[in-house]
Amino acid sequence: MKKYICSVCGYIYDPAAGDPDSGIKPGTAFKDLPDDWTCPQCGVAKDQFEPYED
């Protein structure tokens, strides 16, 4: 699954890890995140994320 990076603060959403602090289980693809999910570091919306290649 593809990682996504926040264009504001650089936080990388890794589907393998999920976002447990926000109740997002490991294995959750970015496209399957709730529409109201926000960056856990800076609080911006999902539309501020772009695909990340490591």
Side-chain angles (χ1 to χ4, degrees):
M1 281 187 275
K2 186 175 276 203
K3 297 177 184 179
Y4 282 76
I5 187 166
C6 177
S7 62
V8 175
C9 73
Y11 169 81
I12 297 171
Y13 175 75
D14 181 355
D19 181 12
D21 293 340
S22 298
I24 307 298
K25 295 179 181 175
T28 303
F30 187 80
K31 67 178 182 63
D32 295 330
L33 292 172
D35 290 337
D36 62 349
W37 181 82
T38 58
C39 177
Q41 285 188 350
C42 71
V44 298
K46 274 175 67 174
D47 64 0
Q48 297 295 310
F49 280 72
E50 358 185 288
Y52 175 74
E53 303 292 330
D54 36 16

